[in-house]
Amino acid sequence: MFRQASGLLARSFLSSSRSWVRPFSTDLPAAPTADSSFAEAWKKVVPNIEPPKTPIAFVNPRPPTPSSIPSKLTVNFVLPYASELSTKEVDMVIIPATTGQMGVLPGHVATIAELKPGVLSVHEGNEVTKYFISSGFAFIHANSYADVVAIEAVPIDQIDPSLVQKGLAEFTQKLSSASTDLEKAEAQIGVYVHSALNSALTG
Amino acid sequence: MASNAAAPFWRSAGMTYITYSNICANLVRNCLKEPYKTEALTREKVHFSVSKWTEGKPEKPTIRSDTPED
């Protein structure tokens, strides 16, 4: 019985920042906590014993879309080796999605965005914190929670401009001399990342 | 949803997302100032050994390691 309790505690940490990805998540209210069809089928066969709990009973329900838009956006920004921001309440984040810079405000529609190498800026009151992200994903949930995951994220002032210029020149040269598709793709990635770093430094 | 939306250039060149993402991360790490760069390079280190199994027996493993062998 205590094992179940620790399972519940562990799940509540996980589910507060990561909810189930379901289709049409804007249509559904909070997710169900008990498996009703299983319980009914069980009762038909074994009426005297309580139906066992299925995994869905241990999962925290997806938080429902609040009826009024919350005033702040809660951001979780994690990297594989550290958690940069953990449930930080901010006014807005601008994420570098592959479709362009996307501004996320409280009450944003639930979205999953793939990120391209670029600048993530976190706006809180008057202060703006900028990070350069190598690539990753951003999950925006209906209840104004945003999870951003990236492999590398550095504050802009940790980037060395001379190394960026050197890398850009090197990869532009590699791109022109590349032969196989794979080499071309690698060189293109190099050019792209370095020019994004460049514009992050200047912009 | 468009079926098979235009694949990104790395996908059509045969690269997976993980490879692409790791390459991006390595490039960013190489452009950092000291001392952040040395910290970051330790994160890049990989150490694993892979061995294929045939007929219930493992073959000779290939070891990929960035830590120097002592």
Side-chain angles (χ1 to χ4, degrees):
Chain A
M1 179 162 142
F2 286 104
R3 237 184 302 138
Q4 287 178 2
S6 57
L8 268 168
L9 278 173
R11 296 270 174 188
S12 63
F13 267 114
L14 282 174
S15 299
S16 63
S17 55
R18 241 164 252 294
S19 44
W20 238 238
V21 177
R22 285 176 208 251
F24 312 110
S25 58
T26 45
D27 301 349
L28 295 176
T33 40
D35 210 336
S36 52
S37 50
F38 174 77
E40 280 161 22
W42 176 276
K43 283 206 172 63
K44 284 202 200 107
V45 180
V46 191
N48 294 333
I49 307 182
E50 278 293 314
K53 282 197 184 182
T54 51
I56 208 169
F58 293 97
V59 172
N60 269 1
R62 184 202 311 119
T65 318
S67 44
S68 67
I69 297 179
S71 59
K72 292 269 200 197
L73 181 71
T74 319
V75 175
N76 295 312
F77 180 24
V78 292
L79 305 170
Y81 51 86
S83 157
E84 277 289 333
L85 301 172
S86 162
T87 52
K88 179 149 196 261
E89 305 239 329
V90 297
D91 296 322
M92 170 171 82
V93 286
I94 302 189
I95 59 176
T98 42
T99 48
Q101 299 282 112
M102 188 193 292
V104 181
L105 291 155
H108 198 281
V109 66
T111 317
I112 300 182
E114 183 193 336
L115 305 180
K116 61 182 180 195
V119 177
L120 169 89
S121 38
V122 179
H123 298 248
E124 167 64 29
N126 281 330
E127 28 171 278
V128 179
T129 334
K130 289 195 185 182
Y131 301 91
F132 185 86
I133 296 195
S134 65
S135 63
F137 286 91
F139 303 89
I140 304 157
H141 305 290
N143 59 344
S144 296
Y145 266 70
D147 303 321
V148 183
V149 290
I151 300 199
E152 273 293 338
V154 293
I156 311 273
D157 50 10
Q158 290 181 11
I159 306 178
D160 188 345
S162 55
L163 289 175
V164 173
Q165 295 297 354
K166 210 162 48 114
L168 186 55
E170 184 191 329
F171 278 97
T172 336
Q173 198 262 322
K174 269 196 208 165
L175 184 56
S176 48
S177 69
S179 43
T180 64
D181 251 348
L182 196 57
E183 271 178 46
K184 259 189 246 157
E186 285 181 14
Q188 248 176 308
I189 296 174
V191 168
Y192 191 65
V193 173
H194 283 97
S195 34
L197 277 163
N198 224 354
S199 46
L201 286 170
T202 51
Chain B
M1 265 277 287
S3 61
N4 292 339
F9 62 90
W10 38 268
R11 176 74 69 180
S12 34
M15 204 187 284
T16 61
Y17 180 79
I18 302 186
T19 323
Y20 161 70
S21 196
N22 283 337
I23 292 180
C24 287
N26 288 340
L27 294 171
V28 173
R29 280 191 270 251
N30 284 333
C31 286
L32 299 179
K33 293 181 182 156
E34 297 295 336
Y36 308 111
K37 191 166 179 182
T38 32
E39 278 172 33
L41 289 184
T42 52
R43 270 183 253 137
E44 254 177 52
K45 291 202 188 296
V46 166
H47 177 98
F48 62 83
S49 119
V50 182
S51 50
K52 288 204 165 85
W53 287 61
T54 47
E55 295 171 23
K57 287 195 179 23
E59 294 176 2
K60 182 136 188 0
T62 45
I63 303 187
R64 158 84 197 278
S65 172
D66 292 333
T67 54
E69 305 283 351
D70 295 327

